[in-house]
Amino acid sequence: MRNGPSGASAPFLSRTLSRTWIAWETQRRSLGLARILGAEIRLFLHKGWLRYPRCLAGTAALLSKKPGNLVFVQNPSMVLAAWAGALKGPLGYTLVVDRHSNFAHLSGPGAGLKRRLSDLLSDFTLRRADLTLVTNPELAESVERAGGRAFVLPDPFPDVSAWRPLAEAAEAKPRAIKEILFVSSWAFDEPIEAAMEACRRLRGEVIVRITGRAPAGYARLLRSAPDNFIATGYLSENDFFAAMAHCDAVMAVTRREATLVCGGYEGAAMGKPLILGNSRALRGFFDAGCVYTDGSAADLEARIRELMNGLPAYRSAIRSWLDRRQSDERERLAALEGALAALAAPALSAAGPVFETSA
C-alpha cells in the first residue's frame, strides 16, 4: 500500500543519542518518520544477485561507526532487521525497528517451511530490538507475546495542502455520477474482481478508478471489466493526489487483519470519506466517516450506495475525525520521544521501562 510523508514535526524531547535511519528500500512511512524524528537517512538500494551481500556489508560498515547511537531500521527488509539485531550486541547501539503492519506471520498455523522460517526470523527481530514500532494495538500485542517491546505509532498523515484547492473545486460542482478512487497495490488481499462486479451493478451511478500497475495476470479480467471500472495504471505522486482530490470517496479495502491501509490515511487527509475492510484494527482506528465491507460484490455495492446516499454527512464526519487524529498524532510523537529518552538512559533501560501500547 502507498504511504505519504507528513508535514508534522515532533517535539524533540531527547537528543542524548544521535540518530541514524537505515532502509533497504524506499518505503514512505519510514522515510517520513525519519525526517520527523530528525534521523540521518541512509539507504542501501542495491539491485541484482549481489544485492544482499552488498546491503549486508554496507550496513555492517555503517553500524560499526555508530557505537552508542540510536539506530532505526525499516522492516521490510526482514533480513535488515535481523542483521541489525545480530550486530547490536557487539557494536553497542540502541535499536528501534519500524515494523508498521509487516506481520504476514499472523496468518497462523499450517504454513509451509518457508513461512515457519520467516516466523522464526521475525520473532528474533522482535526480541533483539529495544523497541518495535507498529501501527495498531493488535500488532503491539503480537510483539509483546514474542518477547519484544512495542510502541503504537500509526502512519503520519501526508501533507496534501497542495492538492486541497482541487478537492474544494471538485466538491463545489456535485456530479450525478459519483467517482471513487480505489487505492490498490493489486495484491491478493484486495477484492478487485468483486469491485468490478459491484461496478457492473452500479452503472450510471458510480465510476471506480483503480490505481497502480496491474500485474499481467489481471489482463484477461480487465478486458471483461465494465466501463465504469477504470484502471489508471501507475500514477506519479502529483497525479495520484490530483485524482484523489477529484474523487468523491476513497476505497482502500484489504481482507488482512491487523493492517491499517495507507490509502485510508491519504484519503482522510484529503477530507474524503472512506470505504474500508471490516477488520477490528480498521474499525478501531478509522472510526468515523467510513463504511466497512466484507469485500463481497453484494456488500461492496450496498456500502457504496450507503456512503453516496449520505455523502455530505460522511464528509463532515471524516474531517472531524481527522482533526481528532492529528491531535492524537502529535501526542503519540511526544510519547515516542519520551520512550526514546528512556532508551538513551542506560539505568532506566536496564530497569525495563514500560512503553505505551495504546493507540
Side-chain angles (χ1 to χ4, degrees):
M1 299 287 177
R2 292 175 56 92
N3 289 282
S6 173
S9 59
F12 298 119
L13 304 180
S14 169
R15 281 294 179 265
T16 306
L17 301 180
S18 62
R19 302 175 178 197
T20 303
W21 195 295
I22 302 172
W24 288 3
E25 60 182 67
T26 53
Q27 203 271 347
R28 290 191 179 190
R29 167 191 160 91
S30 290
L31 299 183
L33 285 176
R35 288 188 288 270
I36 291 169
L37 295 171
E40 174 195 10
I41 302 172
R42 298 296 298 270
L43 301 178
F44 295 87
L45 304 177
H46 303 297
K47 303 294 183 183
W49 66 277
L50 284 176
R51 179 196 175 208
Y52 280 103
R54 295 175 70 186
C55 287
L56 290 166
T59 299
L62 175 63
L63 290 174
S64 69
K65 302 173 185 176
K66 302 292 181 181
N69 280 17
L70 180 57
V71 173
F72 298 82
V73 299
Q74 175 185 300
N75 184 355
S77 165
M78 183 79 74
V79 176
L80 166 58
W83 187 230
L87 295 177
K88 185 185 79 164
L91 297 182
Y93 48 81
T94 299
L95 179 63
V96 179
V97 176
D98 181 31
R99 188 69 184 263
H100 50 95
S101 296
N102 175 33
F103 277 83
H105 71 285
L106 291 177
S107 54
L113 177 61
K114 183 177 179 181
R115 179 75 269 157
R116 292 197 298 272
L117 290 174
S118 179
D119 289 353
L120 290 173
L121 193 62
S122 170
D123 287 347
F124 172 78
T125 69
L126 297 177
R127 291 191 302 270
R128 292 296 295 167
D130 294 287
L131 193 64
T132 297
L133 307 181
V134 293
T135 60
N136 63 79
E138 195 172 342
L139 293 181
E141 293 168 6
S142 177
V143 171
E144 291 170 355
R145 282 195 301 271
R149 285 175 175 163
F151 189 95
V152 174
L153 189 67
D155 284 12
F157 288 100
D159 179 3
V160 297
S161 55
W163 296 276
R164 215 166 265 129
L166 295 176
E168 292 169 359
E171 289 173 21
K173 299 178 180 179
R175 295 171 286 226
I177 299 178
K178 305 302 183 185
E179 296 203 10
I180 295 170
L181 189 70
F182 185 174
V183 180
S184 173
S185 57
W186 295 82
F188 71 94
D189 58 300
E190 298 171 339
I192 293 171
E193 186 170 3
M196 288 184 189
E197 181 56 33
C199 281
R200 206 179 308 277
R201 304 174 187 184
L202 290 164
R203 272 195 175 119
E205 300 176 60
V206 169
I207 293 171
V208 171
R209 301 184 193 276
I210 181 170
T211 67
R213 187 176 286 114
Y218 280 93
R220 182 175 180 181
L221 186 64
L222 281 171
R223 285 195 293 271
S224 67
D227 57 9
N228 60 333
F229 185 91
I230 300 167
T232 68
Y234 170 78
L235 297 175
S236 68
E237 180 176 274
N238 183 68
D239 289 343
F240 172 80
F241 283 115
M244 185 170 284
H246 181 74
C247 76
D248 295 289
V250 169
M251 182 159 69
V253 178
T254 176
R255 295 189 180 96
R256 289 184 62 185
E257 297 293 325
T259 300
L260 298 184
V261 288
C262 301
Y265 295 98
E266 293 164 335
M270 194 75 76
K272 303 296 181 178
L274 305 174
I275 303 164
L276 302 172
N278 200 26
S279 70
R280 178 161 65 98
L282 287 166
R283 281 182 171 273
F285 185 76
F286 295 100
D287 58 4
C290 314
V291 295
Y292 314 95
T293 178
D294 63 16
S296 66
D299 195 58
L300 279 166
E301 177 192 3
R303 300 290 76 78
I304 289 171
R305 289 188 192 279
E306 177 185 342
L307 190 153
M308 293 308 163
N309 288 338
L311 192 55
Y314 280 104
R315 280 180 180 153
S316 176
I318 198 66
R319 286 164 186 172
S320 296
W321 176 90
L322 180 62
D323 288 342
R324 170 164 54 90
R325 281 298 182 183
Q326 285 179 322
S327 177
D328 292 344
E329 181 182 273
R330 291 189 289 271
E331 292 176 4
R332 296 306 298 164
L333 288 169
L336 176 58
E337 286 291 346
L340 297 177
L343 290 176
L348 288 175
S349 186
V354 177
F355 298 112
E356 295 183 74
T357 58
S358 60

